[in-house]
Structures are given as C-alpha cells and as structure tokens.
C-alpha cells in the first residue's frame, strides 16, 4: 500500500520516505506517551497534595523534561514546600516558575505571584519588633511582597483595578499591615517623646528643688545670723541701761566730777 502511495505521489526514494514516516510516527508516539505520563504524574501529585501528602520526587523528575507548560512542576513543588513550611525552598521554586513563561497576565501567573508573596510574608519574623530598625525591616519585606503582586499587573499599585481578585485582596491586606506598623511606630515615637519630656521636666523640677533648697538654706543662715546679732545688740543695750541706772541711784555721786561750763 505504501509502495502504491509512493508511486502515486511520484516519490523518488521510497525507502527514505518510509524511514521519515517511521521517525515521525515514533516521535508522535513518544510525545503522546510523555504527555500522558506527565499528566498522570501531575494528577497523582495533586491527589496526594489534597490528602496532605507532599511527595516531591516524581514531580522533580518532570523538571528535567520540562515542556510544555514548564512552570507547572515548579509551581507544584513550591506549593508542596510551602505546606511543609519550608518557605525558602518554596520561594525558590515559585521564582523559577515565573522564569518558565507562564501565560502573561493570566490566572496561572497570578496564582504563582500570590503564593510567592504569601511565602515571603511567612518568612517575616513578627516576634522581633523591639526597635525601629526591626519595624522598618518588616515593612521592607512587606513592600517586597507587594511588588511581586503589582509587577505584572495582577494587582494595581495605585488602585484596586488589577486583573486578579486574589492578588488585589492580598495587596490590600499587606497595605493594612504596613499602615498598622507605621501607626504603632508613630505612637511609640510620641510615647518616647512624652517620656523624654517628662524626664526632662522631672530633672528640671529636681534641679529647681535643689536650687530652692540651697537658697532656703542660705536665707535660713542669714536670718539666724541676723537674729544672733539683734540678740547681742539687745543684750548690750540692757547692759548699758543697767549700768546707767546704777549710776543714777546711790553711790553714783562720788564718781561725778561736776561739769564744766
């Protein structure tokens, strides 16, 4: 039949033609087998994932022959590591998925970006916010996650008109967290300023009290000296008066020399 077909098509080299046909058929069968195997592996992974069983071995194997939709295994691996709270690995696989050209501005690209932003948020150390530097570090991490969402328009950086609802909601949540951190930081700064003012006021009051106390001591000493001096003058006056009275009353004439005119 193939010979008749080659004669009918006027093929000069039927053997070569048949070899080409065989190669094409083999490649088609291989591609069908590969795609079928890839589909089955992904379905098994998803089934296990839904049962909270995160086996990554077979899925990693797909990254070696990663076509078509090369982003899929990386995205699946990112999800598996995210569920296992291995956020550094999850972030790495999500970023690799984005380099494999998911449909631009499509739902799958936005899914990758949303999960990448979530993994970045999970990496934040919320328990370490003792200083302003700690708070600023957290705000920078939140802004980096926000940029992932707005980079290709899944979320709009300026208004809620991005093309993915989940990305927009996460962007809003991030903005709310940033606002709350900044408000707390401002409140802490105000409290610190008030504490500094109160401390300065207390110090001034203490200095004033010390100054007043020193002045009171000086005044007290001056008053005591004045009282002592007055008492001495009063005593001297009494002595003089007593002496005068003695001179006037008896025996005083013998000491009188008369007066001169």
């Amino acid at each position: 039949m193939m010979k008749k077909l080659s004669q009918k098509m006027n093929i000069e080299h039927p053997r070569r033609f048949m070899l080409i046909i065989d190669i094409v058929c083999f490649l088609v069968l291989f591609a069908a087998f590969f795609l079928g195997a890839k589909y089955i592996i992904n379905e098994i992974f998803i089934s296990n994932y839904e049962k909270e069983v995160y086996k990554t071995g077979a899925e990693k194997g797909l990254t070696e022959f990663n076509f078509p939709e090369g982003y899929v295994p990386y995205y699946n691996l990112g999800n598996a590591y995210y569920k296992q709270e291995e956020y550094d690995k999850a972030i790495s696989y999500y970023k690799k998925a984005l380099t494999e050209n998911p449909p631009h501005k499509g739902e799958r690209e936005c899914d990758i970006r949303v999960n990448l932003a979530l993994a970045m948020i999970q990496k934040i150390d919320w328990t370490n916010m003792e200083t302003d530097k700690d708070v600023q570090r957290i705000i920078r991490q939140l802004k980096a996650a926000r940029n992932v969402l707005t980079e290709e328009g899944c979320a709009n950086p300026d208004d809620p008109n991005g093309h993915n609802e989940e990305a927009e909601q996460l962007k809003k949540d991030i903005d709310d967290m940033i606002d709350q951190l900044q408000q707390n930081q401002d409140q802490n700064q105000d409290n610190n300023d008030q504490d500094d003012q109160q401390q300065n006021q207390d110090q001034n009051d203490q200095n004033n009290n010390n100054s007043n106390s020193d002045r009171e001591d000086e005044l007290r000493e001056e008053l005591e000296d004045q009282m002592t001096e007055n008492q001495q003058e009063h005593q001297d006056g009494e002595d003089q008066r007593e002496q005068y009275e003695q001179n006037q009353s008896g025996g005083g004439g013998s000491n009188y020399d008369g007066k001169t005119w």
Side-chain angles (χ1 to χ4, degrees), residues 116-133:
L116 172 56
L118 287 171
M120 294 170 69
I121 294 172
Q122 290 291 347
K123 282 276 296 175
I124 295 175
D125 184 5
W126 297 99
T127 61
N128 187 15
M129 292 192 296
E130 297 179 357
T131 66
D132 287 342
K133 288 185 178 180

Side-chain angles (χ1 to χ4, degrees), residues 2-254:
M2 294 299 299
K3 185 177 180 180
K4 292 181 179 179
L5 178 61
S6 62
Q7 291 177 349
K8 185 176 181 180
M9 296 179 63
N10 194 24
I11 297 175
E12 295 181 358
H13 304 284
R15 289 179 177 273
R16 185 180 300 173
F17 175 76
M18 292 298 298
L19 179 60
I20 293 173
I21 293 296
D22 290 341
I23 293 172
V24 170
C25 290
F26 173 79
L27 292 176
V28 170
L29 289 173
F30 177 80
F33 174 81
F34 175 78
L35 293 176
K38 184 175 181 179
Y39 174 81
I40 292 171
I41 292 172
N42 279 330
E43 288 299 311
I44 293 173
F45 174 87
I46 293 172
S47 177
N48 289 332
Y49 184 89
E50 292 174 349
K51 298 174 184 177
E52 300 183 358
V53 177
Y54 309 114
K55 295 181 179 180
T56 59
E59 198 71 14
K60 285 182 178 180
L62 294 181
T63 61
E64 300 298 328
F65 303 96
N66 201 13
F67 64 90
E69 296 182 330
Y71 56 87
V72 171
Y74 292 110
Y75 174 68
N76 289 340
L77 290 168
N79 290 342
Y81 284 114
Y82 182 95
K83 286 292 186 178
Q84 296 176 80
E85 299 183 359
E86 297 187 42
Y87 301 115
D88 286 325
K89 289 184 178 181
I91 290 171
S92 177
Y93 279 113
Y94 288 139
K95 288 182 176 180
K96 183 62 177 177
L98 289 175
T99 66
E100 294 293 327
N101 301 318
H104 185 57
K105 294 187 177 181
E107 181 179 352
R108 292 193 172 186
E109 180 191 20
C110 293
D111 287 343
I112 297 170
R113 291 186 176 279
V114 166
N115 288 6
L116 172 56
L118 287 171
M120 294 170 69
I121 294 172
Q122 290 291 347
K123 282 276 296 175
I124 295 175
D125 184 5
W126 297 99
T127 61
N128 187 15
M129 292 192 296
E130 297 179 357
T131 66
D132 287 342
K133 288 185 178 180
D134 294 331
V135 175
Q136 288 300 321
R137 169 179 51 78
I138 292 174
I139 290 175
R140 287 194 298 270
Q141 289 175 291
L142 288 171
K143 287 183 177 180
R146 187 184 192 274
N147 290 339
V148 169
L149 300 172
T150 61
E151 197 171 49
E152 293 294 338
C154 292
N156 192 291
D158 303 315
D159 56 56
N161 294 323
H163 58 260
N164 184 271
E165 184 177 350
E166 290 183 3
E168 278 294 342
Q169 181 59 52
L170 182 55
K171 183 199 75 174
K172 181 181 181 302
D173 293 340
I174 291 173
D175 288 342
D176 290 343
M177 287 187 280
I178 292 174
D179 290 341
Q180 185 62 48
L181 287 171
Q182 290 175 336
Q183 289 176 10
N184 291 343
Q185 192 174 35
D186 292 341
Q187 182 64 39
N188 291 335
Q189 184 62 45
D190 292 341
N191 291 338
N192 290 336
D193 291 342
Q194 292 177 2
D195 290 342
D196 291 341
Q197 291 176 0
Q198 185 62 43
Q199 186 175 1
N200 291 335
Q201 183 63 39
D202 292 342
Q203 185 64 40
N204 290 335
D205 291 343
Q206 182 66 33
N207 292 336
N208 290 334
N209 290 336
N210 292 337
S211 178
N212 291 337
S213 178
D214 293 341
R215 182 57 180 162
E216 288 174 358
D217 292 340
E218 292 176 1
L219 291 174
R220 188 180 300 107
E221 290 177 359
E222 290 178 1
L223 288 173
E224 289 176 353
D225 291 343
Q226 185 65 38
M227 289 176 65
T228 302
E229 184 178 350
N230 290 340
Q231 288 175 355
Q232 185 64 42
E233 290 178 354
H234 178 72
Q235 185 65 40
D236 291 343
E238 287 292 325
D239 293 342
Q240 291 177 2
R241 184 180 63 79
E242 290 177 359
Q243 183 66 39
Y244 176 77
E245 288 176 350
Q246 289 176 0
N247 290 337
Q248 292 294 322
S249 62
S254 61

